Amino acid sequence: MTTTDTTPRAESLPLPALLALTTAVFVTSLTETLPAGLLPAMSGDLGVSESAAGQAVTVYAVGTALTAIPLSAATAGWRRRRLLLTAMAGFAVANTVTALSAHYALTMAARFVAGVAAGLAWALLAGYARRLVPDRLQGRAVAVVMTGVPVALSVGVPAGTYLGGALGWRTAFALMSVIAVVLLGWIALLVPDRPGQEPGRRVPTARVLAVPGVVPVLFVTLVFVLAHTVLYAYIATFLDRFGLGGSTDLVLLVFGGASLVSIWIVGAHIDRRLRALTVASTLLVGAAAALLAGLADSQAFVYVAAALWGLGWGGAPTLLQTAVADAGGEQADAAQAMLVTLWNAAMAGGGALGGVLLGLFGATAFPWSVLVLLVPVFAVVLGARAHGFSDRRGGK
């Protein structure tokens, strides 16, 4: 079978292959967040409260967080295409069961399986993208693949919510299964295979933490995602506090559009400016939080803050996954699995922390908490000059 030439002599990105990986990211992200827009219909159909139906998102995150590291270690020797096909098949099965299930427990089990598939996929995708291109294009390739995240959030979730309202929530999950099945064929035909890690080159997961630069990137991931999630998960509540609850969809649309611009900028410059872009990302999210902390009673400033937030956050997944892969070197896949675990733990922690802050101090505490959390993030990014967040990536 003829495959795309991705040797170091290649002068351009292998877009058919990379866009298949982008679609895999889209499927992963949308499968995770789709229940958020379908909770009333899901709860009514399954005979449970909306709070119970909302655990469909929690169970997914738990499945990812619990299994990403052990499964990544167990499958380190698998060929990459085989592993990606397995993960996408997991999504096809899990979403099909979710679409057909009439029982709450079975639906939760299917969501857990989807989370497990996500753990496999997230630990694999960035490294796979990097191995399809020459060194000088690795950051750009990851940026293309990570475009699937904001597309899922800004386009996929609203579209899925609309489809669920028009044709039923089960139709939305069934369509996700169809996309996953089509993607299986796309991957098999157009994504070049790559070998797994040789047994002699594998090290225990704990030893990956001793690789210079890995711990700073993981720390920044944990705290930065925690800060973002505290505000993002409760943005509707925050806006409602200032009488802007009816504008939540428009605010998130501005955020999503700015996120796409951010990914384009990061993709164009990450291979030479990873450190500078990470500093800018932190400062932009901080500026957005400062505006929301002091000027949220002005609708115009809220939209400005949403744009700054998207510009700062949109490229963050690409920056962090590239940074941990650079730092991890030959152990990049294991480092990616740790990042995925911490990312999901931070998402769960952000929801919990936001609830505590809301109960103790009210919605106005959210942007202030973001500012407090970003202080150590900024300090670590600045301090990890030699390893972790360096513009001299591997000496290139």
Side-chain angles (χ1 to χ4, degrees):
M1 180 176 64
T2 301
T3 56
T4 304
D5 179 17
T6 58
T7 67
R9 296 186 301 276
E11 295 296 325
S12 60
L13 294 173
L15 286 179
L18 291 178
L19 290 176
L21 301 189
T22 303
T23 306
V25 169
F26 174 84
V27 168
T28 303
S29 299
L30 186 52
T31 298
E32 178 177 19
T33 55
L34 188 57
L38 303 172
L39 286 184
M42 289 181 68
S43 64
D45 207 6
L46 295 173
V48 297
S49 67
E50 287 192 27
S51 176
Q55 299 312 303
V57 177
T58 304
V59 167
Y60 182 104
V62 169
T64 301
L66 290 180
T67 61
I69 291 177
L71 282 181
S72 177
T75 59
W78 286 30
R79 296 192 68 84
R80 301 295 90 179
R81 185 164 59 192
R82 174 192 173 195
L83 186 56
L84 181 58
L85 288 170
T86 300
M88 292 304 107
F91 279 110
V93 171
N95 283 325
T96 298
V97 172
T98 301
L100 298 175
S101 171
H103 304 284
Y104 178 73
L106 180 59
T107 300
M108 292 300 105
R111 292 292 297 172
F112 183 85
V113 171
V116 173
L120 275 178
W122 278 118
L124 162 73
L125 286 164
Y128 203 166
R130 288 162 60 90
R131 294 175 68 183
L132 294 177
V133 299
D135 288 351
R136 63 184 178 80
L137 296 177
Q138 287 181 345
R140 194 173 304 174
V142 175
V144 170
V145 171
M146 289 299 112
T147 304
V149 176
V151 171
L153 295 179
S154 62
V155 179
V157 172
T161 301
Y162 173 80
L163 183 64
L167 300 177
W169 67 271
R170 297 181 185 278
T171 302
F173 280 100
L175 181 59
M176 292 301 300
S177 295
V178 172
I179 294 173
V181 170
V182 172
L183 181 57
L184 287 171
W186 187 354
I187 293 169
L189 291 174
L190 295 177
V191 178
D193 198 6
R194 291 294 182 268
Q197 194 174 42
E198 297 176 7
R201 305 178 76 174
R202 301 176 209 166
V203 300
T205 300
R207 285 179 54 190
V208 179
L209 296 174
V211 178
V214 169
V215 168
V217 177
L218 294 179
F219 175 84
V220 168
T221 298
L222 177 65
V223 183
F224 202 179
V225 175
L226 181 66
H228 163 77
T229 305
V230 165
L231 185 57
Y232 188 84
Y234 291 91
I235 189 62
T237 303
F238 176 79
L239 293 175
D240 191 57
R241 166 66 174 77
F242 294 93
L244 299 174
S247 301
T248 300
D249 54 346
L250 293 177
V251 171
L252 291 179
L253 182 62
V254 171
F255 170 83
S259 295
L260 290 174
V261 174
S262 175
I263 285 187
W264 180 82
I265 294 172
V266 167
H269 300 285
I270 189 172
D271 289 302
R272 294 185 179 181
R273 297 287 184 268
L274 185 146
R275 175 181 173 79
L277 288 168
T278 308
V279 170
S281 173
T282 308
L283 290 176
L284 284 167
V285 175
L291 281 177
L292 292 176
L295 298 169
D297 54 349
S298 167
Q299 188 170 15
F301 279 113
V302 168
Y303 285 118
V304 172
L308 293 175
W309 186 12
L311 286 173
W313 181 255
T318 301
L319 292 168
L320 295 171
Q321 293 210 49
T322 299
V324 84
D326 282 348
E330 293 184 354
Q331 307 306 323
D333 286 347
Q336 291 280 1
M338 292 181 179
L339 183 144
V340 170
T341 298
L342 289 178
W343 192 292
N344 281 275
M347 288 181 64
L353 177 59
V356 172
L357 290 172
L358 183 63
L360 292 177
F361 306 109
T364 56
F366 295 141
W368 291 106
S369 69
V370 173
L371 289 171
V372 170
L373 289 168
L374 288 182
V375 171
V377 169
F378 188 66
V380 172
V381 171
L382 289 181
R385 177 181 297 273
H387 302 284
F389 298 99
S390 172
D391 285 331
R392 297 180 60 190
R393 299 177 53 214
K396 294 188 284 292

